[in-house]
């Protein structure tokens, strides 16, 4: 998500500045005469088209998809052009209404702080619509009404901030500098709006893109994170009623790298406030937490495997219900956390039997067609067919305080916990026990062992005591997520 926020800021600011340059050479600006309605419409068209183009590119750039980028740019420019014209018309009407019939020229000449503040706020309200309506272009690249509304909200904030600085720049910077230059040149009047427009349009674009990303983050309900395969590490927000996943570049979440996947492998539907996975016909099996499914209501933390591609499902609505870490650091409990009784599974909430199994414990099943690679392909790194423990392997931290770090695995056990003498130290995470888990090389490959931790160790979403690891397995410890490679 951070990439979308940053890309929104960069693309939006660049588009706003490009719009300023285009309108500056196409629209006459005079120090005395007010611009005509046709001139203002042309200004709105040029600035709106550039804003829509830039904002429409954000999703394609974040996903690394040229097709989505080009579609978003084309539709965004078209939507932005019309939105810019209406934004200028509506904004002008709002600006005049907000002045309550007063003349902005007289208000500026009187030099009253109250009048100046009034004029700044009126301009900000008017320019709000110049950012808000082109912000709708964000939904064009994803064909999502929800994302379009997020763009509208982000545009409202960005447009207001851009308009707010317009008169500040004109009065506090441009007027003294350009006025003095005009007097030296012997000119009676000087048009001082250029710097204000440059900064204002650029700020409208940048703030609109920034707040669109932030609104997406604040209002998103569920998303898919790619853990392995093409697009690894990317988040896909589930903003449509039906989100299609598959080996098709036109899929909402395209998954490449495994020929066993169908063009439309599965779909995630929004049903009754929850998201449900539906498996399509043909292709590799769809597994949720290691179990083949045809239809499954998803909850936060579920691990999805489509062929050889692994995904993590994240959802705000069920995060507090199904992922309730217990503070084991001796400090005050975390805000909103609930201690889970020892006889209940903290993942699915059902009672455990005498062996520690529960509803989410999955017995090894025969792999479906294409669900797993051949045994040789699934062997841990460094494994020799001649036998003996593996000689190499590593843990890649995908999420948590050590995100981006890599920890090599060899014949020596790798210990994980909060204690300072652990190989992987998670001291900042109070939901991790001091001696939480150990990963050791055995005759059958690398094995992860839970060292009696309070919150448990999870592999592919299932709580384990001992578990042999295969490449691509995802290990949850506290708030950290590791991938075994």
């Amino acid at each position: 998500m951070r990439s979308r926020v940053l890309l929104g800021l960069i693309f939006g600011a660049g588009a706003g500045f490009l719009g300023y340059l285009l309108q500056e050479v196409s629209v006459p600006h005079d120090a005395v005469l007010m611009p005509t309605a046709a001139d203002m419409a042309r200004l709105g068209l040029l600035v709106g088209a550039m804003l829509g183009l830039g904002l429409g590119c954000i999703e394609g750039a974040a996903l690394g998809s040229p097709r989505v980028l080009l579609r978003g740019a084309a539709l965004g420019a078209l939507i932005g052009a019309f939105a810019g014209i209406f934004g200028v018309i509506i904004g002008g009407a709002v600006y005049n209404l907000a002045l309550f019939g007063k003349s902005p020229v007289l208000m500026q000449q009187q030099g009253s702080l109250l009048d100046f503040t009034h004029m700044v706020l009126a301009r900000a309200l008017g320019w709000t619509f110049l950012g808000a309506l082109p912000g709708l272009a964000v939904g064009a690249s994803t064909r999502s009404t929800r994302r379009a509304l997020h763009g509208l909200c982000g545009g409202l904030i960005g447009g207001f901030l851009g308009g707010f600085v317009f008169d500040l720049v004109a009065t506090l910077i441009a007027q003294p500098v350009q006025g003095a230059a005009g007097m030296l040149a012997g000119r009676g009047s000087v048009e001082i709006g250029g710097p204000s427009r440059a900064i204002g349009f650029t700020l409208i674009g940048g703030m609109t893109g920034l707040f669109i990303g932030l609104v997406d983050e604040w209002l998103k309900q569920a998303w898919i994170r790619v853990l392995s395969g093409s697009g690894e590490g990317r988040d896909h927000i589930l903003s449509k009623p039906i989100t299609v996943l598959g080996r098709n570049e036109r899929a909402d979440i395209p998954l490449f790298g495994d020929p066993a996947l169908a063009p439309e492998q599965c779909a995630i539907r929004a049903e009754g406030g929850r998201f449900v996975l539906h498996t399509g016909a043909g292709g590799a099996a769809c597994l949720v937490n290691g179990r083949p499914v045809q239809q499954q209501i998803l909850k936060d933390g579920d691990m999805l495997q489509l062929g050889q591609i692994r995904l993590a499902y994240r959802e705000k609505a069920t995060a507090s219900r199904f992922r309730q870490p217990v503070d084991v650091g001796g400090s005050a409990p975390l805000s909103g956390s609930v201690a889970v009784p020892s006889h209940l599974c903290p993942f699915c909430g059902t009672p455990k039997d005498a062996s520690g199994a529960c509803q989410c414990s999955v017995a090894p099943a025969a792999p479906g067609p294409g669900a797993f690679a051949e045994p040789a392909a699934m062997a841990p790194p460094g494994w020799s067919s001649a036998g003996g423990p593996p000689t190499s392997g590593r843990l890649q931290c995908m999420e948590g305080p050590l995100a981006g770090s890599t920890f090599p695995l060899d014949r020596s056990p790798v210990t994980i916990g909060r204690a300072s003498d652990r190989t992987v130290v998670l001291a900042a995470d109070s939901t991790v026990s001091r001696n939480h888990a150990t990963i050791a090389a055995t005759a059958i490959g690398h094995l992860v062992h839970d060292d009696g931790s309070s919150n448990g160790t999870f592999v592919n979403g299932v709580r384990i005591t001992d578990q042999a690891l295969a490449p691509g397995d995802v290990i949850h410890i506290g708030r950290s997520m590791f991938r075994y490679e």
Side-chain angles (χ1 to χ4, degrees):
M1 193 62 223
R2 291 178 200 165
S3 63
R4 284 183 175 86
V5 174
L6 180 59
L7 286 172
L9 177 63
I10 295 173
F11 275 74
F17 186 72
L18 183 58
Y20 155 75
L21 293 177
L22 290 177
Q23 66 81 36
E24 204 70 10
V25 299
S26 303
V27 179
H29 297 283
D30 191 275
V32 178
L33 299 176
M34 293 293 291
T36 65
D39 289 337
M40 291 303 296
R42 191 182 308 119
L43 181 149
L45 184 148
L46 293 172
V47 175
M50 291 302 100
L51 287 176
L53 185 149
L55 298 175
C57 289
I58 295 173
E59 188 68 17
L63 298 178
S65 170
R67 183 186 61 83
V68 175
L69 188 146
L70 291 175
R71 182 183 66 198
L75 292 177
L78 182 63
I79 294 173
F82 286 99
I85 294 174
F86 284 106
V88 165
I89 295 172
I90 297 173
V94 170
Y95 174 64
N96 291 328
L97 288 174
L99 289 175
F100 303 122
K102 296 181 180 180
S103 169
V105 177
L106 293 177
M107 293 173 69
Q108 191 171 17
Q109 289 175 349
Q110 290 173 358
S112 166
L113 178 60
L114 183 60
D115 284 340
F116 177 70
T117 304
H118 183 184
M119 189 169 57
V120 168
L121 292 176
R123 181 87 65 180
L125 288 174
W127 278 35
T128 294
F129 294 90
L130 187 57
L133 297 184
L136 293 169
V138 174
S141 60
T142 56
R143 295 169 293 184
S144 167
T145 303
R146 183 186 298 274
R147 296 294 298 281
L149 293 177
H150 291 182
L152 179 66
C153 294
L156 285 170
I157 301 172
F160 181 86
L161 294 176
F164 188 82
V165 303
F166 184 92
D167 285 305
L168 293 177
V169 172
T171 303
L172 302 179
I173 300 176
Q175 186 173 5
V177 174
Q178 291 185 274
M183 292 179 61
L184 292 175
R187 289 180 288 175
S189 60
V190 179
E191 202 280 318
I192 61 172
S196 298
R197 288 188 293 273
I199 295 176
F201 291 147
T202 302
L203 191 60
I204 281 181
M207 291 298 98
T208 298
L210 172 69
F211 279 99
I212 285 172
L214 293 177
V215 169
D216 267 339
E217 179 68 18
W218 294 333
L219 299 183
K220 70 181 180 181
Q221 296 178 341
W223 63 101
I224 292 289
R225 174 167 297 171
V226 181
L227 300 178
S228 64
S230 178
E232 179 179 307
R234 290 177 180 155
D235 288 346
H236 298 264
I237 299 174
L238 303 180
S239 59
K240 300 173 64 177
I242 301 177
T243 302
V244 177
L245 298 80
R247 190 171 48 86
N248 185 337
E249 64 176 11
R250 296 185 179 276
D252 299 302
I253 304 180
L255 303 173
F256 304 116
D258 186 350
L261 294 181
E264 296 184 356
Q265 178 69 28
C266 62
I268 298 177
R269 297 173 179 263
E271 301 178 9
R274 297 296 300 275
F275 289 86
V276 183
L277 176 72
H278 296 266
T279 300
C286 295
L287 291 87
V288 177
N289 301 326
R291 179 164 44 195
V293 300
Q294 290 296 320
Q295 183 173 317
Q296 175 75 40
I297 298 176
L298 299 174
K299 61 182 180 296
D300 184 64
D302 279 345
M303 294 293 124
L304 281 60
Q305 181 175 328
L306 309 181
Q308 298 302 312
I309 297 176
R310 292 177 182 266
L311 312 167
Y313 175 77
R314 308 302 300 272
E315 182 180 75
K316 288 183 177 179
T318 55
S320 60
R321 181 178 176 186
F322 292 102
R323 300 183 65 176
Q324 302 174 359
V326 182
D327 191 332
V328 296
S331 57
L334 297 174
S335 175
S337 64
V338 179
V340 180
S342 59
H343 70 285
L344 297 179
C345 173
F347 185 74
C348 67
T350 57
K352 295 183 287 187
D353 59 22
S355 64
C358 60
Q359 285 188 0
C360 68
S361 299
V362 181
F372 298 97
E374 294 298 322
M378 292 293 290
W383 176 262
S384 171
S385 58
T391 58
S392 64
R394 64 176 186 173
L395 286 181
Q396 179 73 35
C397 187
M398 303 292 295
E399 188 174 317
L402 302 179
S405 302
T406 301
F407 303 93
L409 303 174
D410 51 25
R411 295 177 184 274
S412 303
V414 172
T415 55
I416 304 172
R418 284 190 302 109
S420 59
D421 61 347
R422 303 291 91 185
T423 311
V424 180
V425 180
L426 299 171
D429 189 348
S430 59
T431 66
V432 175
S433 299
R434 291 181 57 82
N435 302 319
H436 197 105
T438 301
I439 299 178
T442 70
I444 62 171
H446 282 108
L447 186 78
V448 58
H449 172 74
D450 183 83
D451 294 333
S453 64
S454 297
N455 285 319
T457 302
F458 297 82
V459 176
N460 300 330
V462 179
R463 187 167 184 168
I464 58 90
T465 301
D466 293 285
Q467 177 70 45
L469 295 173
D473 280 348
V474 177
I475 305 169
H476 271 108
I477 293 179
R479 296 188 177 90
S480 296
M481 180 190 298
F482 300 88
R483 186 178 68 242
Y484 173 72
E485 300 176 342

